[in-house]
Amino acid sequence: MPTLQLLLVKFGIRFVGVKLGILGLGTVGTGTVQLLQDNAGRHPLLRDVEIYRVGVRSLDKPRMVELPGAVLTTDLAAIVNDPQVDIVVEVIGGLEPARSLILKAIENGKHVVTANKAVISRFGDEIFTAANKAGVYVMLEAAVGGGIPVIQPLKQSLSVNRIHTVTGIVNGTTNYILTRMQTEGISFDDVLADAQKLGYAEADPTADVDGLDAADKIAILASLAFGGRIKLQDVYCEGIRQVSKTDIAYADKLGFVIKLLAIAKTVNLPPISPTLREATYASTPDHPISVRVHPTLVPKAHPLASINGVYNAILVEGEPIGQVMFFGPGAGAGATASAVSSDILNLVAALQTSTATPNPLLSCRHQDYCQITPLEELVTRFYTRFLTKDQPGVIGKLGTCFGKYSVSLESVVQTGFQGELAEIVVVTHDVREGDFRQALAEIRTLEAIDSIPSLLRVL
Ligand code: HSE
């Protein structure tokens, strides 16, 4: 904070004018400017915020907000280097130049607000190390769940709990697609094409439908919940392209809906003494966790089963709190602006009460990487659909093979045919993923098995 402001704070004089340098005036930037300009009825500290500079790609583009000509600039580097700027708000998205601009702002002693999950999940280590060294805060409420406040709750209110599971529907596009497949009985390709026409899905839907966006978000949530850094490459990621309307219909009959879940969960410890177990249980980077994104059969009675359309929800489970679920709009100008502005508000408050010691509830306290359990060690239930010859003994052979690898079956259903082939759907009890995959490899070699079109995990 500039010296004059520190002096004013020291003598109890409230200063006006925390200067923002906003990088980007797309959907989120525009929403944030609109919220800050229309500040009546919101927290009074927002009146102390001055939109000082806004960096854009083109000065000629028509805008939905009115800003004095001198505020807009195409020189983004000048914003992060301007000594007058107190807070840099990065809402340009993408990896570069976002990462470099954030790092430069930090180096210049500015606090940063970002909505950029891609940069944080990949370069969080570099960014937070630099921020801690410079004594500044990097705030990212808008990076996960759009308007849903989940980052600050994990950092503050919930951090007194031992968190053991974070389960989220954190991508609105895929939730919209799966909801329509479920309610209208239509295929992934048909819904995707329609969603693109309606503007619910991007022209290049890869980041959403292949689960990459959700993987960025669960890496961030896991890091906060389990108190360690996460390497994005350790997050198992499977999208929804292979989810078929046949599986959605079978899941429905069996009492499930299919959702793209992002899950971060402590892994069951082997049997050890209660004292040692207590000492190593959850919320320490020493405790192994699994972090993954995949389509999942969710029991219809589960709180996440009823989250439909573009909405997001994050269920946090811990001790002693039990279950807490956050629900709301995961994207959109107003929702994301709410999250960005809440970070700005926290920073204005921090600037106005600044001491030499950083507020530990706003800064990143992680030093070490979380220990991630390999997928084959995961213990979960599976749903599998087989196409087989319609002949005596096939179900028996499947059962024998599963039994050989300690895979216990919860249900076996044969209701349909595809041409000459019988369709058999199996749901297992909890099983080690490695054992299940070994059983499947052997089943694939059976003469009666035509193919295994689907393999999904069950919550
Ligand atoms: N593309 C994301 C979604 C929104 O579909 O939820 C931005 O994170």
Side-chain angles (χ1 to χ4, degrees):
M1 180 165 22
T3 322
L4 174 64
Q5 289 178 8
L6 271 175
L7 270 175
L8 291 174
V9 170
K10 190 170 167 198
F11 291 107
I13 301 165
R14 190 161 170 263
F15 70 89
V16 174
V18 171
K19 289 185 166 57
L20 294 190
I22 302 180
L23 308 176
L25 197 53
T27 305
V28 181
T30 301
T32 304
V33 169
Q34 281 170 333
L35 189 153
L36 295 174
Q37 286 181 332
D38 174 24
N39 59 23
R42 311 192 197 282
H43 197 291
L45 275 185
L46 287 184
R47 286 178 225 144
D48 295 351
V49 172
E50 180 189 345
I51 300 170
Y52 176 73
R53 288 282 181 275
V54 179
V56 292
R57 209 176 292 158
S58 158
L59 294 176
D60 304 326
K61 196 174 159 187
R63 304 283 171 190
M64 287 167 66
V65 284
E66 272 184 45
L67 287 163
V71 168
L72 288 182
T73 173
T74 54
D75 190 351
L76 274 61
I79 296 179
V80 297
N81 287 318
D82 188 333
Q84 293 293 315
V85 171
D86 301 295
I87 300 172
V88 166
V89 179
E90 183 279 301
V91 283
I92 47 179
L95 295 182
E96 284 294 355
R99 169 186 156 272
S100 302
L101 288 165
I102 290 172
L103 287 169
K104 188 45 103 176
I106 292 170
E107 190 188 318
N108 288 332
K110 299 178 193 318
H111 301 292
V112 173
V113 174
T114 178
N116 199 325
K117 68 235 150 202
V119 162
I120 295 296
S121 62
R122 282 162 190 77
F123 303 108
D125 190 348
E126 183 183 27
I127 287 170
F128 287 107
T129 302
N132 290 344
K133 192 167 153 222
V136 298
Y137 304 118
V138 175
M139 309 289 283
L140 53 135
E141 189 61 72
V144 182
I148 305 172
V150 64
I151 301 290
Q152 278 312 111
L154 279 173
K155 274 186 180 173
Q156 300 189 1
S157 337
L158 291 173
S159 63
V160 296
N161 291 273
R162 293 190 188 108
I163 308 290
H164 59 77
T165 313
V166 178
T167 314
I169 293 174
V170 287
N171 183 269
T173 306
T174 45
N175 203 42
Y176 172 84
I177 293 172
L178 290 172
T179 302
R180 283 196 57 192
M181 287 174 73
Q182 170 91 33
T183 51
E184 297 169 38
I186 48 182
S187 72
F188 169 81
D189 290 329
D190 289 344
V191 184
L192 176 61
D194 202 40
Q196 284 171 318
K197 235 185 281 163
L198 294 167
Y200 287 114
E202 307 274 347
D204 176 3
T206 311
D208 293 317
V209 300
D210 292 332
L212 310 173
D213 172 81
D216 288 348
K217 291 167 177 170
I218 196 65
I220 293 171
L221 293 177
S223 174
L224 292 165
F226 298 108
R229 291 182 176 153
I230 304 282
K231 292 194 182 96
L232 191 58
Q233 62 267 30
D234 287 344
V235 178
Y236 173 77
C237 180
E238 191 183 308
I240 63 163
R241 287 184 202 267
Q242 84 286 13
V243 175
S244 68
K245 58 183 185 183
T246 309
D247 292 313
I248 288 187
Y250 269 118
D252 185 51
K253 274 188 213 149
L254 293 165
F256 299 98
V257 290
I258 299 182
K259 296 286 183 193
L260 182 71
L261 294 189
I263 303 171
K265 194 175 176 19
T266 50
V267 173
N268 286 341
L269 288 175
I272 51 175
S273 79
T275 328
L276 187 57
R277 188 180 177 87
E278 182 60 25
T280 51
Y281 182 72
S283 293
T284 94
D286 300 332
H287 189 87
I289 57 173
S290 80
V291 189
R292 51 204 160 95
V293 172
H294 49 70
T296 312
L297 272 73
V298 180
K300 286 179 183 172
H302 190 278
L304 288 168
S306 55
I307 308 303
N308 288 321
V310 293
Y311 283 97
N312 283 196
I314 298 114
L315 177 69
V316 180
E317 295 170 83
E319 179 279 322
I321 193 159
Q323 294 188 320
V324 177
M325 193 158 92
F326 300 84
F327 165 79
T336 316
S338 165
V340 168
S341 304
S342 75
D343 281 344
I344 294 170
L345 179 69
N346 268 310
L347 290 178
V348 173
L351 282 165
Q352 295 195 354
T353 54
S354 185
T355 61
T357 320
N359 178 342
L361 295 179
L362 294 183
S363 50
C364 172
R365 63 195 160 88
H366 311 144
Q367 301 294 333
D368 302 317
Y369 279 87
C370 288
Q371 204 184 312
I372 310 289
T373 302
L375 200 65
E376 63 265 26
E377 296 304 329
L378 180 72
V379 174
T380 185
R381 289 195 288 162
F382 283 93
Y383 157 101
T384 318
R385 183 159 57 91
F386 298 91
L387 289 179
T388 75
K389 291 186 180 158
D390 187 25
Q391 62 190 32
V394 176
I395 289 181
K397 282 180 192 151
L398 282 177
T400 306
C401 226
F402 278 130
K404 185 171 157 191
Y405 292 95
S406 314
V407 177
S408 169
L409 303 183
E410 186 180 290
S411 70
V412 180
V413 186
Q414 182 186 345
T415 54
F417 280 89
Q418 286 205 14
E420 299 287 291
L421 297 171
E423 201 161 43
I424 299 173
V425 168
V426 167
V427 177
T428 73
H429 285 295
D430 268 342
V431 51
R432 191 182 152 271
E433 177 142 354
D435 293 340
F436 181 73
R437 294 218 175 251
Q438 270 191 294
L440 276 195
E442 190 163 321
I443 287 169
R444 272 198 189 91
T445 67
L446 297 176
E447 191 269 329
I449 302 297
D450 176 82
S451 57
I452 308 177
S454 321
L455 171 60
L456 294 163
R457 294 172 188 82
V458 180
L459 196 62

